[in-house]
Structures are given as structure tokens and as C-alpha cells.
Amino acid sequence: MPAAPATPSTPADAAARATTGPASVAATPAPRPTRRQVLMGTGAAVAGACVLAACAEERPTPQGEAQALGALAPGTRVVALADVPVGGAVSAQLDGHRVLVTRPAEDEVHLFSALCTHAGCRVVPADGALDCPCHGSRFALGDATVLVGPAVDPLPEIAVRVEGADVVLAG
Ligand code: FES
């Protein structure tokens, strides 16, 4: 005599299998994260938020740059005067800050923060002016007033003087 089938074969049994099989799989609870995983995930999220907040808080502004540069020691060398073309300007770094040294005339030099007053892009020397490549603002060599917007404020100026062959901070 053959052995009874291992699985029931009535339509009711088949229906029960159809509903209980997959349902029992779906009802199996997903593995719960451990306390450690939860804490690590929370820590990462908090760390990410802090990084973003820090970025927002520490974003340099032209005024902040000018203030930091103004606090440097008088006599700090910026560039060699000979490196600044008459009727032009050069980009430079001063104590980690990006600056522009302009020379609108033979005996006239100026130092400006290179951070655009519109949205903080780096302003660069251009043909007889200072240009921001981000949105097209243009500033004058002599006083960094706005020649073309969208910027509305001039670049902040830091006082300098010529000492020997160099342009130095006036203090
Ligand atoms: Fe300079 Fe917009 S950031 S024009």
C-alpha cells in the first residue's frame, strides 16, 4: 500500500497553503537593527548635520576676509610692486586669503578681498577691471565699485602702502 502523500491535496489544503505560505514569509519580522546600529546611524546623521551647519556658519564673507586681513601685522608683504601691471591687477594669497592687488596708475596700488560681494565667487583680474566669472559682476580697479551687477557692493579694501620694492599692509 502506497504511503500517504506528505502534503495534503484537497482544494481547501491548497488554498490554506496559498494563504499561509507567503503570508507567513511576509509576517516574518525584518531583522531589527541592533542598538549599536541605531546609535551609529543616529551619530552619522548628527555628524552630517553638524558638517552642513559648520559649512554654513564658516562660509567666508568679503567683510570677514577684510577684517581678518586688516588684523595682520602692518608691514606684511603682499606682492612685489613690479608684479602688478600699471592699469591692471594680480591675484594673490595672503595668509590663506584670496586677494587682488590693483594698480590703476603708476603710483597707486590697492588691495581688495577677492570674494565677490554678490555670492562669494572668486573675482579675478580682467582687462582694466576686476571680473567675477560666476554671474558677470565687474568692479573698478581704483576702488572696486560695481561697474556691472548683479553685485551692488564694492569689494572691501584693505589698506596697503609701497615699501621699497614691495606692496605691504599699511596697518
Ligand atoms: Fe560674483 Fe555672482 S558671485 S557675480
Side-chain angles (χ1 to χ4, degrees):
M1 198 161 179
T7 55
S9 59
T10 65
D13 291 338
R17 276 199 314 275
T19 54
T20 58
S24 64
V25 169
T28 301
R32 297 181 61 172
T34 64
R35 185 166 185 261
R36 179 185 168 94
Q37 288 171 322
V38 169
L39 290 174
M40 288 177 65
T42 304
V46 169
C50 290
V51 167
L52 290 175
C55 287
E57 288 170 9
E58 294 175 9
R59 185 176 175 169
T61 63
Q63 292 74 21
E65 292 282 281
Q67 223 170 15
L69 291 165
L72 296 178
T76 300
R77 181 182 182 278
V78 182
V79 291
L81 180 62
D83 290 342
V84 189
V86 176
V90 292
S91 294
Q93 287 258 353
L94 183 56
D95 197 41
H97 304 276
R98 293 174 170 179
V99 296
L100 292 158
V101 183
T102 70
R103 193 172 180 187
E106 179 77 32
D107 59 349
E108 183 183 352
V109 289
H110 300 274
L111 175 66
F112 301 103
S113 165
L115 282 189
C116 183
T117 53
H118 175 236
C121 287
R122 186 179 182 185
V123 177
V124 295
D127 187 25
L130 306 169
D131 282 359
C132 180
C134 287
H135 310 105
S137 287
R138 179 163 249 232
F139 304 88
L141 287 179
D143 56 7
T145 51
V146 177
L147 301 174
V148 178
V152 293
D153 295 317
L155 302 175
E157 183 168 7
I158 303 96
V160 288
R161 66 173 187 266
V162 175
E163 190 174 282
D166 294 327
V167 177
V168 302
L169 291 180

